[in-house]
Amino acid sequence: MTKEMKKILVTGAVGQIGSELTMELRKRYGAENVIATGRKTQPSEELRNSGPFHFIDVNKIETVEEMIQKYDIDTVYHMAAILSAVGEKNPQLCWDVNMNGTINILELGLKYEMTRVIIPSSIAVFGSGIPLDNTPQETVLKPTTMYGVTKVCGELLCDYYVKRFGLDIRGLRYPGIISYETLPGGGTTDYAVAIYYEAVDKGKYTCFVREDTKLPMMYMPDAIEGTIQLAEADFSKLKHHSDFNHAAMSFTAGELAASIKKYIPDFEVSYEPDYRQEIADSWPNSIDDSAAREEWGWKPQWDLDAMTKDMLEHLQERKEKGTLYR
Ligand code: SER
């Protein structure tokens, strides 16, 4: 029997995924039962006013433990992480936040006999030696970024805690996530979000990867749905735990631009690859998520053109209100 989640702590709740995940969890489990936390960025008014919010530092275990005790937490969604591009600028910080933060959450999970711990991974676990198309669930994991190294170690650590201590941990390898609520912070796939903002704002965009760069991507509603679906899945049916490939669509930067041009015909894109090109080149073009489909029923809803239409409508509305970048 899968135990009920009653009091949920979200770390990284001010981040791109955390902010929308928190709002959805509050809808489903009750606002007062979802404790949002961040490290220093101020939360939006919506996030702060819709339920409990606190500043913590996942690297300072006592600040996390205080939350667990105060709210009698039984479930953690550990979304706090340093992403790939920032990680390459500051590898030690990336290691510190991603590894020490993760082991702190796992240790507290054991100490407080948590019902569930959700710790996401990323397509960044992949690197040299993989088949680039439809990269399988099980393949060599040799990332070439510090972010990828921490995500591979994180997956292994989580699986170790499942096997050794019986802790219920789940995680998925997110592709690039596209959304209009909160901007991503320092990832390689950020161009796929920035391009929409700039299309609406200026009608042109300079992309930091080549036109033919193809990566797995997903619209935020699918990412949130998939994350919660995995968290609620029957544990006894899971053969994998912390490393599910999680896919929706794959497209090149050029195909993304062409999709936007269907709605904004004058949109102009130029390409000036920087250091992030090498990171993008080390990741798959597309990934095989059949384990997620078989073990917990994953099925994405959004494709490129439907996402483009929705993104542009929301951003256009915000531009008209003068709150495009908030
Ligand atoms: N979006 C992330 C990044 O680009 C990948 O998990 O770093």
Side-chain angles (χ1 to χ4, degrees):
M1 244 280 286
T2 302
K3 279 205 280 174
E4 224 185 307
M5 296 170 277
K6 295 195 186 107
K7 282 279 180 187
I8 301 172
L9 178 75
V10 183
T11 72
V14 186
Q16 187 199 8
I17 305 176
S19 57
E20 292 197 46
L21 178 67
T22 300
M23 296 311 296
E24 186 58 32
L25 291 170
R26 284 183 171 164
K27 256 193 230 155
R28 296 191 193 201
Y29 296 93
E32 70 288 357
N33 296 323
V34 181
I35 318 310
T37 60
R39 190 164 68 93
K40 23 175 230 251
T41 310
Q42 286 299 331
S44 65
E45 272 183 35
E46 190 191 28
L47 193 64
R48 192 188 276 277
N49 297 337
S50 59
F53 179 87
H54 295 271
F55 284 111
I56 62 167
D57 182 345
V58 293
N59 277 0
K60 298 195 178 105
I61 196 163
E62 65 284 0
T63 68
V64 188
E65 188 160 18
E66 199 189 323
M67 290 296 111
I68 293 171
Q69 289 174 348
K70 182 174 161 81
Y71 291 102
D72 201 11
I73 296 294
D74 57 50
T75 299
V76 180
Y77 279 81
H78 179 44
M79 310 306 287
I82 300 289
L83 296 185
S84 59
V86 172
E88 286 317 283
K89 296 271 182 214
N90 196 342
Q92 197 160 3
L93 174 76
C94 182
W95 174 268
D96 204 26
V97 172
N98 296 5
M99 292 319 304
N100 295 329
T102 295
I103 202 157
N104 284 345
I105 298 293
L106 294 176
E107 279 300 306
L108 291 169
L110 281 188
K111 183 169 173 187
Y112 291 90
E113 298 179 357
M114 297 264 176
T115 299
R116 200 144 316 144
V117 179
I118 294 93
I119 303 190
S121 184
S122 161
I123 51 164
V125 294
F126 300 116
S128 332
I130 50 159
L132 286 173
D133 292 308
N134 220 19
T135 307
Q137 176 73 42
E138 315 297 344
T139 187
V140 57
L141 299 178
K142 284 193 168 190
T144 51
T145 61
M146 180 55 100
Y147 176 62
V149 169
T150 65
K151 286 297 173 186
V152 174
C153 293
E155 287 182 357
L156 294 172
L157 200 57
C158 289
D159 280 348
Y160 176 80
Y161 273 67
V162 173
K163 191 160 178 281
R164 173 78 203 269
F165 304 113
L167 192 59
D168 179 342
I169 309 168
R170 300 148 189 228
L172 17 71
R173 292 173 178 156
Y174 287 133
I177 306 293
I178 295 162
S179 64
Y180 57 82
E181 287 290 350
T182 308
L183 284 165
T188 300
T189 57
D190 293 12
Y191 66 89
V193 180
I195 194 170
Y196 286 106
Y197 277 75
E198 301 270 310
V200 168
D201 193 20
K202 306 197 182 84
K204 56 181 187 202
Y205 178 61
T206 305
C207 185
F208 60 74
V209 296
R210 280 190 324 268
E211 186 173 4
D212 64 352
T213 305
K214 185 174 181 184
L215 287 172
M217 299 280 178
M218 183 178 283
Y219 198 29
M220 185 64 91
D222 272 343
I224 302 289
E225 189 56 42
T227 306
I228 298 178
Q229 216 177 315
L230 172 60
E232 289 179 343
D234 182 346
F235 189 73
S236 67
K237 298 225 166 79
L238 302 181
K239 295 189 202 96
H240 297 84
H241 296 102
S242 322
D243 60 359
F244 285 100
N245 280 3
H246 192 214
M249 53 181 123
S250 277
F251 47 76
T252 64
E255 286 162 347
L256 173 57
S259 172
I260 295 175
K261 273 189 206 163
K262 288 182 194 163
Y263 300 92
I264 307 177
D266 296 338
F267 180 46
E268 285 169 32
V269 189
S270 54
Y271 299 89
E272 286 178 20
D274 66 12
Y275 71 100
R276 289 168 283 193
Q277 182 68 54
E278 201 180 322
I279 303 177
D281 287 343
S282 75
W283 292 350
N285 297 333
S286 59
I287 56 174
D288 172 12
D289 65 355
S290 44
R293 289 172 187 257
E294 279 156 28
E295 292 175 41
W296 47 276
W298 168 239
K299 193 168 181 287
Q301 303 295 325
W302 291 83
D303 65 16
L304 174 57
D305 284 340
M307 172 176 77
T308 296
K309 183 166 182 286
D310 201 58
M311 280 293 288
L312 293 176
E313 276 170 12
H314 280 94
L315 293 178
Q316 195 58 48
E317 202 178 295
R318 285 236 301 272
K319 188 185 179 191
E320 279 154 26
K321 287 195 209 139
T323 57
L324 180 60
Y325 285 98
R326 303 230 196 246

